[in-house]
Amino acid sequence: QVQLVESGGGLVQAGGSLRLSCAASGITFSSTLGGWYRQAPGKQRELVAFITSSGITVYGNSVKGRFTISRDNAKNTVYLQMNSLKPEDTAVYYCNARTTLPYWGQGTQVTVSS
C-alpha cells in the first residue's frame, strides 16, 4: 500500500519561506517520478515541480527561481523549499508519486499573507 504523507505547510508572510516534506512508504522515490502540485480555491490543480528518478528537476513557470525540489533517498522523502513566497502561492499543496499509476498525498495548506 502506497502512502504519501506531507508536512510543513502553514501561514507565512509574503517574502517568507517554507519547506514542505513528503515521506513515502510502499514506493521508492529514487525509482519513480516524485513531485508537488497545488490547488487554489476555484482553480485547477497545477504542477509546481517534479524530480525524476535520475534527479532531473522541472518547475512550473510561476515558481521558477523561487522554489527548489529535492530528494533524500535514505529517508525516501521529497522536499519543496519555497522562498520569496507570494500571496498567489496560497493553495493546498499535494505530493505526487507516479509509476504506472499516480499516487497522491492528503495535501497540506500553505497560506501566504500580504
Side-chain angles (χ1 to χ4, degrees):
Q1 181 181 1
V2 176
Q3 282 192 318
L4 303 175
V5 180
E6 300 110 331
S7 60
L11 174 63
V12 64
Q13 288 189 331
S17 299
L18 283 174
R19 189 177 82 153
L20 305 183
S21 300
C22 175
S25 59
I27 196 168
T28 303
F29 271 131
S30 61
S31 301
T32 188
L33 195 69
W36 292 92
Y37 289 72
R38 67 186 182 187
Q39 188 165 19
K43 295 188 176 182
Q44 289 188 331
R45 191 171 295 190
E46 65 172 355
L47 171 71
V48 177
F50 68 79
I51 182 167
T52 70
S53 56
S54 58
I56 296 171
T57 57
V58 175
Y59 296 91
N61 287 334
S62 60
V63 305
K64 283 181 181 176
R66 299 188 298 122
F67 291 11
T68 303
I69 189 169
S70 62
R71 183 178 68 218
D72 185 329
N73 292 338
K75 295 182 179 180
N76 202 22
T77 299
V78 169
Y79 302 97
L80 184 69
Q81 178 67 43
M82 306 185 293
N83 298 329
S84 302
L85 282 161
K86 305 175 182 180
E88 50 264 44
D89 294 317
T90 294
V92 178
Y93 284 68
Y94 296 92
C95 179
N96 171 266
R98 188 178 298 269
T99 56
T100 55
L101 293 172
Y103 298 96
W104 296 94
Q106 80 285 356
T108 185
Q109 177 70 46
V110 171
T111 303
V112 184
S113 62
S114 56

